[in-house]
Amino acid sequence: MSSGGALEAGALSILEDDPLWYKDAIFYELPLRAFYDSNGDGVGDFPGLIEKLDYLQDLGITAIWLLPFYPSPMRDGGYDIVDHRAVSPEYGTQAHVRRFIREAHRRGIRVIFDLVANHTSDRHPWFQRARRAPRGSVWRDYYVWSDTPDRFSGVRVIFQDFEESNWTWDPVAGQYYWHRFYHHQPDLNLLNPRVQKEILRIADHWLRMGVDGFRLDAVPYLVEKDGTTCEGLPETHEVLRRLHAHIDSHYPNRLLLAEANQRPIDAVNYFGQGDECHMVFNFPVMPRLFLAVRTEDKLPLQRVIEEMPPIPENCQWGMFLRNHDELTLEMVDPEERQLMWDVYAVDTEARINLGIRRRLAPLLGNHRRRIELMNALLLSLPGSPVIYYGDELGMGDNVYLDDRNGLRTPMQWSADRNAGFSRAPSQRLYLPVLNQPEYHYGSVNVELQLRHPHSLLLWMKRLIGLRRRYPAFSRGDIRFLDSETYSVLAYLRTLGEQVLLVVANLSRYVRYANLDLAQYRGWTPVELYGETRFPAVAEGRYFMSLGPHSFYWFRLEPPPG
Ligand code: BGC
Ligand code: MG
C-alpha cells in the first residue's frame, strides 16, 4: 500500500524518490510556537511556519524536525501530550498540517514530527481511565504501577533538579505510577500489546498525511522490567523493530530518528541490524566538540569518533551542537562534566539537571570564529547535521526563564516590535523576546543579517551550500591524519573519487600543521570557499599555518592525466 499522503504530496513535490535521503539531509529543528505567529495571539502557528518556508529553503536546509504541536497542558514544552493525533488549536488544524507538509515538499524540504511513545500527560484520557480501572485490567495496564516505591530500585532520575523519585503516588488508583521524567508524565506500558497498537495508530495518522518520519523521543526508556536498569532492554528494541517493519511495509522513504542519550556502545544498538532506527542522535560526540574547542586538545574528540562502533549501511548518525534541551552531560565522565561546568556554566543559573541550559552563541562567548569553527565541524564530521532554530543567527538565551524556556524564545525576524515574530501585545507572547544588549533582537535578526554580507546567517548559508555540493561530507568515510600539532584536527572524507580534507585549528593561537598526505603525492588541495588552488602535495609532509580557530575545507584533485 502506498500512502495517500505520499501520493498527494508527490504531485507537487520535487523530492527525489530516495529511501536514504536522510543521509544527505541537513535538518533544522524548530518549536512551532517559537517560529512565527500569523494571527497575533502571541504563539507561533502552522500558517506562520508556512509563510517562513521560503526563508528555510533559502538557508539551504533540506528537512525540518518539528517539535510536538499536539494538545498539551504545556508543563514540559508540549512533550506532555493529551492527544497524540490532534493539533493544539492555537497552532492550527489538521488541514494546516497537510498544507504545511505539501508546501515544504514543494520546496524540496522533508518534514519529521516528534513521536512520544514513552509517556503521556497525566491529563491524557488513557491515564484518567487507567487510574480508575480495576487493577490488572488492560486499561490499568496502559501505564506502569507498583504498590511500593521500591520497585525498579537503582534506576537513575533524569530530571533530578525537579523530581526525587521515578514513582508518584496516585490516590485515585491507590498505587504508585512510574515516570522517567516529570511526575505529571506517567510512562506508558509498552509491554501491553494494546499500547503498542496505539503507537502504531498514532504513527499511521501522521504518515498518511505525508510526514517523512519521526524523531522518537526518549526511546531507551520505553520498556521497564524488574531487576534491570530499565534502559535499552531487549523488549524495547523489539518495539522499535516492530515499528520499523510496520512503517517499511506501508510507506516508502520514511525515517526513524532516535533520541537515545546513551554511551556509544549502547547508542549504536538503536540502529539494530538496520531494522530499528535509521538515525540516532550522536550524544557521545556532542560534548566532546565543546571540550575540544575549550581545551584546545583534539585527542578526546578524535578518539571518541575513531572508537565509534561501525553502523549498518542504511544508517546515519544525527549530529548536533545544541537543541531545545539542556546540553546534557549525563554520559560524560565526572571529571569531564566538572570541566564542562567550570568552563561553560560559570554562572550556576545556567546549570540544570546534569547539563547546561545555554544556546550555542552564549556558550562560545559570542565569539564569531568559534561559532564558525563549531559549525564547520558539525557540517563536516560523519553524520547528518541538525541545526537548532536561531543558532544560524547567533541568537542568545535567557537563563532566568523557567526550566529550558530560555533557549526557546521567539525567533528574531527583524528589529520591529516583538522581533517581528508576532503582532500581539508583548505581554501576551508565550515567552519574552531577548533584549539584553549583546543579543538584542534589534541587532540579532534575520532581516539585518540578510542585508549584511558578512553576517553569520549568510556565512551559514554558504557553508550549507558547500556541504550539499560534496556528497563525501554526508556519505564518505573518515580518516584522521597526523598533523604534528595536538590542537590541529585533520581528517579526510572520501567517497569513491571524491576526497575532501578538513583541517581545523582548535586553538586561540596561530598554529601550524604538518600533514601526512604521502598517499596523495601530486594531488592539489583546492580550498572550497575561495576555490583557491594550493601547491600540489610533494615529497614528505604538507605544511600549512592556521590562524586562531580557523579551519579549511579542501577537495583534493588528482594530477592531470
Ligand atoms: C525531550 C525533552 C522532554 C523529555 C520528556 C526529551 O527527550 O527532548 O524536551 O522534556 O523528553 O518528554
Ligand atoms: Mg498564533
Side-chain angles (χ1 to χ4, degrees):
M1 180 188 108
S2 147
S3 79
L7 286 179
E8 181 193 355
L12 288 164
S13 116
I14 56 164
L15 298 176
E16 273 176 71
D17 181 17
D18 176 7
L20 299 179
W21 60 269
Y22 47 85
K23 285 205 174 202
D24 304 309
I26 297 176
F27 290 83
Y28 188 89
E29 173 192 356
L30 74 89
L32 191 52
R33 65 178 175 151
F35 212 54
Y36 186 63
D37 172 21
S38 71
N39 62 353
D41 65 354
V43 182
D45 43 54
F46 275 108
L49 173 54
I50 293 168
E51 265 184 66
K52 296 298 185 184
L53 280 172
D54 288 338
Y55 165 76
L56 295 175
Q57 182 183 23
D58 185 54
L59 178 58
I61 59 99
T62 63
I64 293 171
W65 157 27
L66 195 62
L67 268 50
F69 51 82
Y70 320 109
S72 159
M74 292 304 281
R75 298 175 73 191
D76 182 21
Y79 282 89
D80 46 332
I81 300 169
V82 297
D83 184 351
H84 294 70
R85 289 184 288 150
V87 180
S88 184
E90 68 213 358
Y91 298 137
T93 62
Q94 307 266 354
H96 285 129
V97 176
R98 262 193 221 103
R99 213 179 104 220
F100 160 59
I101 295 174
R102 211 165 47 228
E103 290 294 327
H105 286 177
R106 230 159 56 86
R107 291 167 176 82
I109 297 174
R110 313 227 185 205
V111 175
I112 64 170
F113 292 164
D114 238 287
L115 182 59
V116 185
N118 182 66
H119 49 267
T120 67
S121 161
D122 59 2
R123 300 195 202 163
H124 197 293
W126 295 341
F127 187 72
Q128 292 307 323
R129 181 176 62 191
R131 66 202 305 206
R132 291 182 177 87
R135 282 172 180 242
S137 65
V138 291
W139 307 122
R140 172 70 68 102
D141 285 349
Y142 261 49
Y143 294 84
V144 181
W145 302 93
S146 171
D147 291 326
T148 75
D150 306 324
R151 203 178 161 199
F152 309 144
S153 63
V155 174
R156 71 192 168 108
V157 172
I158 297 169
F159 284 173
Q160 49 176 262
D161 284 0
F162 304 91
E163 302 292 343
E164 275 172 15
S165 164
N166 289 320
W167 290 108
T168 290
W169 174 254
D170 181 39
V172 177
Q175 278 192 301
Y176 293 89
Y177 61 89
W178 179 250
H179 53 86
R180 286 311 296 274
F181 297 98
Y182 286 117
H183 64 275
H184 54 77
Q185 283 164 311
D187 270 38
L188 284 165
N189 174 18
L190 271 295
L191 288 177
N192 182 339
R194 272 185 198 257
V195 173
Q196 287 200 27
K197 246 196 219 135
E198 300 274 16
I199 301 301
L200 296 186
R201 281 183 66 203
I202 295 165
D204 282 337
H205 177 78
W206 301 113
L207 290 165
R208 278 196 208 106
M209 285 199 187
V211 75
D212 299 288
F214 300 106
R215 179 256 193 192
L216 300 177
D217 187 59
V219 288
Y221 323 121
L222 292 182
V223 177
E224 32 285 301
K225 279 199 133 175
D226 293 302
T228 70
T229 59
C230 296
E231 298 192 9
L233 303 187
E235 291 82 356
T236 291
H237 291 287
E238 189 53 47
V239 171
L240 293 173
R241 272 194 296 277
R242 225 168 280 153
L243 179 61
H244 182 113
H246 173 81
I247 292 179
D248 238 28
S249 59
H250 292 86
Y251 312 90
N253 306 341
R254 309 300 164 107
L255 163 71
L256 293 175
L257 161 56
E259 184 212 22
N261 181 11
Q262 304 273 288
R263 292 180 184 274
I265 198 77
D266 300 312
V268 290
N269 286 338
Y270 294 90
F271 294 117
Q273 310 293 323
D275 56 356
E276 293 188 26
C277 302
H278 312 83
M279 286 182 64
V280 176
F281 280 115
N282 201 326
F283 277 93
V285 167
M286 182 275 296
R288 268 97 197 179
L289 282 163
F290 286 94
L291 278 169
V293 290
R294 193 57 199 224
T295 59
E296 308 190 353
D297 178 0
K298 68 179 173 184
L299 283 180
L301 173 63
Q302 184 170 321
R303 216 172 289 134
V304 72
I305 296 170
E306 282 177 325
E307 289 171 5
M308 225 56 176
I311 64 175
E313 213 26 58
N314 62 334
C315 291
Q316 176 79 311
W317 286 108
M319 294 289 285
F320 64 104
L321 298 171
R322 292 299 302 112
N323 60 23
H324 65 290
D325 290 326
E326 70 271 28
L327 191 170
T328 161
L329 299 171
E330 285 169 295
M331 294 298 154
V332 299
D333 299 330
E335 309 83 65
E336 286 177 314
R337 182 182 308 138
Q338 194 55 48
L339 179 60
M340 284 288 287
W341 267 332
D342 290 346
V343 297
Y344 285 117
V346 187
D347 177 0
T348 50
E349 285 288 349
R351 302 182 192 182
I352 185 174
N353 301 320
L354 283 185
I356 304 172
R357 48 173 167 180
R358 304 226 69 165
R359 263 186 184 269
L360 185 64
L363 276 169
L364 300 175
N366 209 7
H367 188 297
R368 174 71 182 260
R369 280 187 193 223
R370 282 187 208 205
I371 296 172
E372 292 182 355
L373 173 64
M374 288 291 268
N375 278 298
L377 293 171
L378 174 72
L379 270 76
S380 63
L381 286 169
S384 295
V386 183
I387 297 166
Y388 185 50
Y389 88 101
D391 280 352
E392 74 275 24
L393 306 174
M395 255 175 74
D397 53 34
N398 179 355
V399 292
Y400 303 106
L401 293 177
D402 186 36
D403 198 347
R404 292 146 289 171
N405 282 333
L407 336 158
R408 302 170 179 178
T409 60
M411 177 71 174
Q412 296 174 187
W413 292 105
S414 72
D416 294 347
R417 177 161 59 95
N418 300 329
F421 158 76
S422 168
R423 293 183 314 278
S426 55
Q427 337 58 287
R428 201 178 163 190
L429 299 189
Y430 75 96
L431 283 175
V433 293
L434 300 179
N435 58 10
Q436 66 270 47
E438 203 176 359
Y439 300 101
H440 197 288
Y441 64 86
S443 48
V444 179
N445 68 60
V446 171
E447 190 179 66
L448 267 182
Q449 292 203 19
L450 284 177
R451 251 192 262 140
H452 177 15
H454 305 296
S455 67
L456 181 63
L457 176 60
L458 292 182
W459 183 88
M460 285 293 288
K461 185 178 154 175
R462 282 194 294 275
L463 191 76
I464 291 169
L466 282 180
R467 149 105 189 186
R468 286 180 61 180
R469 208 166 310 145
Y470 294 94
F473 280 130
S474 40
R475 303 200 187 204
D477 293 332
I478 186 164
R479 185 159 67 80
F480 289 94
L481 295 178
D482 178 28
S483 69
E484 281 185 7
T485 305
Y486 64 86
S487 57
V488 176
L489 187 68
Y491 46 94
L492 293 169
R493 303 291 319 272
T494 50
L495 182 72
E497 306 282 276
Q498 196 169 85
V499 183
L500 305 175
L501 167 65
V502 175
V503 190
N505 180 10
L506 304 172
S507 166
R508 78 210 111 132
Y509 301 115
V510 176
R511 297 284 191 217
Y512 69 86
N514 223 357
L515 301 172
D516 178 7
L517 283 173
Q519 193 194 341
Y520 294 99
R521 190 135 71 92
W523 291 51
T524 301
V526 181
E527 199 278 328
L528 300 186
Y529 257 81
E531 280 293 313
T532 311
R533 301 182 75 79
F534 271 49
V537 179
E539 206 75 52
R541 296 215 162 210
Y542 195 83
F543 179 89
M544 65 178 72
S545 56
L546 294 103
H549 297 303
S550 63
F551 75 91
Y552 304 134
W553 283 4
F554 297 102
R555 68 171 179 271
L556 298 185
E557 286 188 356

